[in-house]
């Protein structure tokens, strides 16, 4: 059968495959497909979330840039990310604790069953604490402090909409340590430019340092995909390749997409994106 992403009424991306699993959870319609070109694929409410073939690009860029530019990340919070890919990459660093806050536990359960190539052994690592809760509610109530906060959420529709609000970002600021950094996906720079512009503007009013990174991910339609990072005290554009290289060697980091030059290059924005956020 063919799966067609239904984010936009006038654009279709179609991938042919077999539906291995389908369930309407309390929060969303979840499906797992087996495809010839992209391996297994997770969709939520008609939108592609991740595939075995290209997930490494997204998950590596969502994690390693902020973890490597932070001087000593020990405690990390992931909001969303129930497929386990982001946690898998975080655990390659010498972190002490990773909190994964996922509103829909069934995403975690189905990922353990069908997406083992993505989550690996992330959920069984002793450093990982799974919390089934609404990410915005957790941020508002927690007394914990974090070095890194990663927002690995779907687009701002349904239960994820609150994860793009000023109140949510203000609460993230309050749970970060003095050198804390947050990062989130902010959509296609062509098809979701208002999402990028609006979130950049909100974050710039809360954090003194905000950066945009870009990467191309084949199954995320719309050209360059954007990631927004924000820090309380670290200039995210003050990038030293030699320092990052030393850290990579020290922890023996292995990646398929990320490297120090990709990190630096992802911060160099095309003119249309510079205009968009200026």
């Amino acid at each position: 059968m063919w799966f067609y992403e239904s984010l936009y009424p006038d654009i279709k991306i179609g991938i042919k495959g077999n539906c291995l699993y389908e369930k309407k959870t309390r929060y969303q319609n979840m499906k797992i497909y087996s495809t010839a070109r992209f391996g297994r694929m997770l969709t939520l409410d008609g939108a592609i979330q991740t595939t075995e073939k290209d997930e490494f690009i997204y998950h590596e860029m969502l994690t390693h840039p902020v973890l490597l530019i932070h001087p000593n990340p020990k405690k990390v919070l992931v909001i969303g990310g129930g497929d386990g890919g982001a946690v898998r990459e975080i655990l390659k660093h010498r972190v002490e604790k990773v909190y994964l806050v996922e509103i829909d536990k069934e995403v975690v359960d189905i990922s353990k069953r069908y997406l083992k190539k993505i989550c690996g052994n992330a959920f069984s690592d002793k450093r990982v604490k799974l919390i089934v809760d609404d990410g915005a509610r957790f941020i508002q109530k927690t007394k914990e402090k974090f070095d890194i906060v990663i927002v690995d959420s779907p687009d701002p529709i349904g239960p994820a909409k609150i994860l793009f609000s000023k109140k949510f970002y203000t609460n993230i600021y309050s749970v970060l340590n003095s050198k804390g950094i947050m990062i989130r996906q902010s959509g296609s720079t062509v098809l979701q430019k208002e999402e990028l512009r609006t979130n950049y503007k909100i974050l710039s009013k809360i954090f003194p340092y905000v950066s945009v990174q870009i990467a191309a991910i084949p199954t995320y339609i719309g050209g360059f995909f954007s990631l927004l990072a924000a820090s309380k005290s670290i200039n995210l554009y003050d990038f030293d390749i030699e320092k990052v290289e030393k850290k990579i060697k020290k922890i023996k980091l292995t990646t398929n997409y990320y490297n120090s030059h990709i990190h630096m290059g992802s911060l160099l924005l095309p003119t249309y994106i510079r205009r968009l956020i200026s």
Side-chain angles (χ1 to χ4, degrees):
M1 63 182 296
W2 281 87
F3 165 81
Y4 290 103
E5 185 168 278
S6 55
L7 269 177
Y8 308 98
D10 57 338
I11 300 173
K12 275 188 178 182
I13 176 173
I15 298 178
K16 192 174 184 180
N18 298 317
C19 186
L20 302 178
Y21 182 88
E22 178 178 5
K23 185 172 184 180
K24 178 70 174 176
T25 75
R26 178 183 174 186
Y27 300 99
Q28 54 210 340
N29 186 27
M30 177 171 59
K31 293 182 181 181
I32 298 285
Y33 290 87
S34 174
T35 74
R37 198 172 294 273
F38 290 100
R40 290 187 174 179
M41 175 175 72
L42 168 67
T43 71
L44 296 176
D45 288 337
I48 297 170
Q49 301 302 305
T50 191
T51 78
E52 290 177 334
K53 188 72 172 181
D54 66 356
E55 57 83 19
F56 68 95
I57 305 173
Y58 172 71
H59 288 130
E60 289 180 14
M61 291 303 293
L62 188 66
T63 55
H64 301 309
V66 291
L67 283 160
L68 286 166
I69 204 168
H70 190 284
N72 189 27
K74 294 297 182 184
K75 201 170 181 181
V76 181
L77 169 64
V78 182
I79 295 174
D83 56 66
V87 175
R88 179 200 72 212
E89 294 301 312
I90 293 165
L91 293 172
K92 293 179 180 180
H93 296 257
R94 295 175 181 175
V95 296
E96 295 175 355
K97 198 74 178 177
V98 182
Y99 284 59
L100 176 67
V101 180
E102 169 61 61
I103 194 171
D104 194 342
K105 186 176 183 294
E106 296 198 56
V107 175
V108 176
D109 293 339
I110 212 62
S111 296
K112 289 180 182 178
R113 180 178 173 187
Y114 286 99
L115 301 176
K116 193 67 176 177
K117 287 185 178 179
I118 295 178
C119 64
N121 297 316
F123 294 117
S124 60
D125 193 290
K126 292 181 180 179
R127 292 172 289 174
V128 176
K129 181 178 182 179
L130 174 63
I131 299 168
V132 180
D133 196 0
D134 176 85
R137 182 168 55 219
F138 174 84
I139 281 284
Q140 188 171 359
K141 293 183 177 181
T142 186
K143 303 299 182 184
E144 303 283 348
K145 291 285 186 177
F146 300 92
D147 299 306
I148 304 288
V149 175
I150 295 172
V151 184
D152 185 8
S153 75
D155 293 304
I157 53 176
K161 192 171 183 179
I162 195 172
L163 303 182
F164 292 77
S165 67
K166 182 179 180 180
K167 182 180 180 181
F168 176 65
Y169 293 141
T170 302
N171 288 335
I172 287 180
Y173 184 95
S174 68
V175 303
L176 283 170
N177 288 320
S178 61
K179 295 185 183 298
I181 308 172
M182 70 147 284
I183 190 168
R184 69 154 313 118
Q185 67 85 6
S186 47
S188 160
T189 60
V190 174
L191 299 179
Q192 295 164 304
K193 61 182 182 180
E194 286 305 318
E195 182 178 317
L196 171 58
R197 192 206 317 261
T198 300
N199 284 273
Y200 183 88
K201 184 177 180 180
I202 294 171
L203 285 169
S204 295
K205 291 180 178 179
I206 301 168
F207 290 85
Y209 299 102
V210 182
S211 70
V212 179
Q213 292 173 249
I214 55 174
I217 303 156
T219 51
Y220 293 172
I221 61 173
F224 281 124
F225 196 75
S226 64
L227 299 159
L228 275 171
S231 173
K232 298 179 85 169
S233 62
I234 297 173
N235 185 343
L236 301 165
Y237 287 102
D238 186 13
F239 185 78
D240 189 322
I241 280 188
E242 289 186 3
K243 286 184 180 179
V244 172
E245 284 289 348
K246 285 179 181 178
K247 286 186 177 182
I248 289 172
K249 290 176 181 178
K250 186 176 181 180
I251 64 174
K252 298 178 181 179
L253 178 66
T254 57
T255 58
N256 290 311
Y257 182 82
Y258 176 87
N259 58 55
S260 60
H261 294 276
I262 283 289
H263 186 153
M264 183 174 69
S266 71
L267 293 165
L268 303 176
L269 304 178
T271 302
Y272 78 95
I273 301 176
R274 291 165 67 96
R275 286 174 179 160
L276 182 67
I277 62 174
S278 65

